[in-house]
Amino acid sequence: MARNIQSLERAAAMLRLLAGGERRLGLSDIASSLGLAKGTAHGILRTLQAEGFVEQDEASGRYQLGAELLRLGTTYLDVHELRARALVWTDDLARSSGESVHLGVLHQQGVLIVHHVFRPDDSRQVLEIGAMQPLHCTALGKVLSAYDPVAHSEALESDRKAFTERTVCDLEEFEQLLDVTRARGYAADVEETWEGVASIAAPIHDRRRMPVGAVGITGAVERLCRPDEEGALRPELIAAVRDCARAVSRDLGAGRF
């Protein structure tokens, strides 16, 4: 049986670590997180940097993902039919809602973000393509868990970690949330994953009427929720997200929903 190449495994783990958050990481942070000696970690980083997969900030000496990795990822994503079909509609959703838009698919017991449209303002934002979100508490994850049997099984088998006081971890409560999601055609996350943040998502289906992804918006609670009723989402934003999901589904050949 062929053995895995350890140096490649370590390089892959390093890239995943750097992709896991918005901040840059120092050599000590990277070595400690991966259980590597500093010399070993530095050698891998130097190689990745030479290939353009990692960049080092001159001022702080910290590392971040490089442009070459983004180029390769974008090349893959550009041929991804779901993303290609969703480009126009997600741009429209960002403009109409004023919020950031994410397109997600099931991947390794989580939600992989395959497309991200920035909120249309001048605020500082971080590109989240390639980021992973949990299935059990994000709006995108709940949609996939409600409509995709594989995602449903993986959500049930996963460790449903509590991110905030509002996170639903209990199995019976979680199943009830999925029933509600299927009944109304969309999922919500109001401070279940991040304090002060809410999201709305709806399912995307292909020509076989199979769920292939989810699209949603994310923003501050005070913008997504009604001021007169705590935790109640603005109906016009729900409608906008569902319209976007239906439009992408139609472009994939699903017909009317």
Side-chain angles (χ1 to χ4, degrees), residues 88-101 215-217 237 240-242 244-245:
V88 172
W89 300 111
T90 50
D91 283 349
D92 287 347
L93 178 58
R95 281 193 294 269
S96 65
S97 67
E99 303 295 344
S100 62
V101 177
V215 63
I217 60 173
L237 293 180
V241 171
R242 295 193 67 193
C244 178

Side-chain angles (χ1 to χ4, degrees), residues 12-233:
M14 201 168 284
L15 293 174
R16 291 192 188 98
L17 179 66
L18 291 170
E22 106 176 49
R23 65 192 182 93
R24 299 183 178 99
L25 295 175
L27 175 60
S28 296
D29 298 323
I30 295 169
S32 175
S33 296
L34 299 178
L36 300 175
K38 282 188 180 179
T40 301
H42 185 255
I44 296 172
L45 284 167
R46 190 172 54 212
T47 302
L48 291 173
Q49 186 177 0
E51 296 297 327
F53 295 144
V54 164
E55 295 174 356
Q56 186 178 28
D57 181 67
E58 292 184 5
S60 66
R62 290 176 174 266
Y63 294 89
Q64 64 184 19
L65 293 181
E68 179 64 14
L69 191 66
L70 180 61
R71 185 190 69 79
L72 290 176
T74 302
T75 301
Y76 165 73
L77 292 171
D78 280 344
V79 300
H80 193 295
E81 185 180 6
L82 173 60
R83 181 178 184 270
R85 298 288 185 178
L87 289 176
V88 172
W89 300 111
T90 50
D91 283 349
D92 287 347
L93 178 58
R95 281 193 294 269
S96 65
S97 67
E99 303 295 344
S100 62
V101 177
H102 296 88
L103 186 71
V105 298
L106 176 66
H107 181 68
Q108 294 182 348
Q109 294 189 322
V111 183
L112 173 67
I113 303 302
V114 297
H115 185 52
H116 175 201
V117 183
F118 282 168
R119 185 172 61 253
D121 59 20
D122 295 327
S123 62
R124 180 178 177 273
Q125 299 174 65
V126 177
L127 188 67
E128 295 181 24
I129 294 176
M132 293 290 292
Q133 293 186 4
L135 285 169
H136 70 287
C137 57
T138 61
L140 292 171
K142 290 179 196 175
V143 163
L144 293 174
S145 299
Y147 288 90
D148 185 337
V150 176
H152 182 216
S153 297
E154 293 190 352
L156 298 187
E157 294 169 3
S158 66
D159 177 21
R160 291 180 296 281
K161 174 184 173 183
F163 291 91
T164 73
E165 292 181 355
R166 294 174 179 261
T167 307
V168 174
C169 303
D170 178 75
L171 179 57
E172 187 174 343
E173 279 188 80
F174 179 64
E175 289 283 30
Q176 289 173 355
L177 279 177
L178 299 187
D179 288 340
V180 171
T181 297
R182 284 185 287 265
R184 64 189 183 184
Y186 71 92
D189 163 15
V190 180
E191 297 189 289
E192 293 179 46
T193 312
W194 301 280
E195 298 283 355
V197 177
S199 58
I200 306 166
I204 295 171
H205 297 80
D206 65 8
R207 60 184 60 85
R208 299 165 298 161
R209 299 292 182 99
M210 296 294 293
V212 292
V215 63
I217 60 173
T218 300
V221 168
E222 58 266 25
R223 295 197 303 269
L224 266 66
C225 294
R226 294 166 51 181
D228 58 335
E229 189 175 348
E230 184 180 355
L233 295 162

